[in-house]
Structure formats: structure tokens, C-alpha cells
Amino acid sequence: MNEQASNQTSQTQTTPAAAPAAKPARGITLHDSAVGQLKKLLAERQTPDAGLRIAVRGGGCSGLAYVMEWAEKPREKDKIFERDGVRVFVDPKSYLYLLGTEIVYESTLMASGFKLNNPNVKGSCGCGESFSV
């Protein structure tokens, strides 16, 4: 092998491989603040085995809106996310819109409530009640 071919080979071998792209978060995660608040609310309701159902429905200024309600148990095809005994139920269709979402509980002087940090949202309305993907 000549010197030029040898140099090309050594250069090719020392080039670091490109790092793999970061994978998007799967499922739904519960922040510590959400777990604490959900535990408190479930204890007040005296239904510790119930869970929070989160769904995405058509509506609002931007086309889609979140719906949250209590559910005593999951439905047959629900995806179930659990952390520290707190459960969240999501129907398969809504799950597609909620992939990678983190649920946080925020409490400020002006308002308190659950916030969904959804990486799939491309736009939202001024009031913050609806979104688009």
C-alpha cells in the first residue's frame, strides 16, 4: 500500500462517529409537585385507588383542548402511567398528542393548577386553554 492510501486509511479510522440523536421522551411523566398534589387530592376524596384521566378533545380557539377528570379505574385500552402510587390514565388516541408530556403542579399568588408541558404543541391561544399540534 502506498503512503497516500495509508494516510487516507488512518484519517478515516480516527474520525469520531457522529453521536446518535437524542430520543424524544416516551409516555407521560409526573413531576414531584404533581405527585404530591394528586396524593393530597386522592386522600381528600377518600379514593386512593382512583386516578387522573387526561384526554385531548377537539375544541377551543386553537383546535384542541385538555380534559382532566377523576376515574375510579382505567378503561380497557387506556395507557397507565404510575409514580409513587399515583396513576394517570390516557386513552390511545389522546396518547398520540401527549407523548413526552410532563405534568407539573404550580401554585402562585394568582392561580394554581396542573400544567402540561407538552413538547408536541406548535401553537396555543391567548387564554392558554387550547393548543394545536
Side-chain angles (χ1 to χ4, degrees), residues 6 20 22 25 30 36 38 66-67 73 85 97-98 102 104 107 118 124:
S6 176
L30 292 160
L38 286 169
Y66 298 115
V67 177
K73 61 183 180 179
Y97 294 104
L98 296 170
E102 179 187 38
V104 178
S107 183
N118 186 340
S124 61

Side-chain angles (χ1 to χ4, degrees), residues 104-132:
V104 178
Y105 181 78
E106 294 181 344
S107 183
T108 67
L109 290 174
M110 297 297 288
S112 61
F114 292 99
K115 179 180 177 185
L116 281 76
N117 294 326
N118 186 340
N120 305 303
V121 171
K122 302 294 183 225
S124 61
C125 64
C127 68
E129 295 296 320
S130 66
F131 65 97
S132 61

Side-chain angles (χ1 to χ4, degrees), residues 56 90-98:
V56 175
V90 180
D91 65 271
K93 188 174 180 181
S94 296
Y95 177 68
L96 297 174
Y97 294 104
L98 296 170

Side-chain angles (χ1 to χ4, degrees), residues 52-63:
L52 179 66
R53 174 173 303 288
I54 300 176
V56 175
R57 302 283 186 258
C61 309
S62 295

Side-chain angles (χ1 to χ4, degrees), residues 3 7 19 26 29 35 47 49 53 55 75 78 86 96 98 105 113 122 124 126:
E3 188 176 328
N7 285 340
R26 302 297 288 176
T29 57
V35 170
T47 56
D49 294 329
R53 174 173 303 288
R75 293 179 186 149
D78 278 351
V86 173
L96 297 174
L98 296 170
Y105 181 78
K122 302 294 183 225
S124 61

Side-chain angles (χ1 to χ4, degrees), residues 13-94:
Q13 291 174 349
T14 59
T15 304
K23 292 183 180 178
R26 302 297 288 176
I28 295 173
T29 57
L30 292 160
H31 187 272
D32 292 341
S33 60
V35 170
Q37 185 64 18
L38 286 169
K39 280 185 175 184
K40 179 181 170 185
L41 293 171
L42 288 166
E44 287 174 4
R45 292 183 79 237
Q46 298 179 358
T47 56
D49 294 329
L52 179 66
R53 174 173 303 288
I54 300 176
V56 175
R57 302 283 186 258
C61 309
S62 295
L64 298 170
Y66 298 115
V67 177
M68 292 187 202
E69 60 189 11
W70 294 113
E72 297 305 315
K73 61 183 180 179
R75 293 179 186 149
E76 185 178 332
K77 294 184 179 184
D78 278 351
K79 299 220 179 265
I80 303 167
F81 303 93
E82 185 170 3
R83 179 171 169 217
D84 298 335
V86 173
R87 298 187 305 165
V88 173
F89 310 134
V90 180
D91 65 271
K93 188 174 180 181
S94 296

